[in-house]
Amino acid sequence: LKLAYFHNDKNTLESFHQDLNKDFLVVSEELSSNYAEVLEQGPYDAIIIDIEMPRIDGFQLFEKITNHGHYN
């Protein structure tokens, strides 16, 4: 299974990756504005989004993802 994880805290990203990379391929991103590059690495079985992110918050990011051809 392949997961994408968006979170603006680097320590949280690293912890999440360490906890799950034994069972999942985890692609993590600290900047929500890099969502297009992350989606190009898909398809994903799940996408996890932190709601409180700078620039593009989690709700806006969710809208952008659902407008993407693979995830709508």
Side-chain angles (χ1 to χ4, degrees), residues 33-59:
S33 57
N34 290 342
Y35 73 91
E37 291 85 5
V38 173
L39 294 182
E40 290 302 317
Q41 297 176 52
Y44 296 100
D45 297 294
I47 300 174
I48 303 166
I49 305 169
D50 178 27
I51 297 299
E52 295 180 14
M53 296 183 73
R55 297 185 193 155
I56 302 173
D57 70 24
F59 294 109

Side-chain angles (χ1 to χ4, degrees), residues 51 53-65 67:
I51 297 299
M53 296 183 73
R55 297 185 193 155
I56 302 173
D57 70 24
F59 294 109
Q60 293 167 323
L61 181 56
F62 174 77
E63 289 177 10
K64 291 184 180 296
I65 291 170
N67 287 325

Side-chain angles (χ1 to χ4, degrees), residues 4-48:
Y5 183 43
F6 292 90
H7 200 290
N8 65 321
D9 181 67
K10 189 172 187 156
N11 291 330
T12 302
L13 284 174
E14 290 175 5
S15 176
F16 187 87
H17 190 270
Q18 289 176 352
D19 290 344
L20 295 179
N21 76 353
K22 294 174 192 157
D23 299 313
F24 303 96
L25 175 59
V26 180
V27 176
S28 55
E29 179 56 51
E30 197 172 344
L31 299 173
S32 57
S33 57
N34 290 342
Y35 73 91
E37 291 85 5
V38 173
L39 294 182
E40 290 302 317
Q41 297 176 52
Y44 296 100
D45 297 294
I47 300 174
I48 303 166

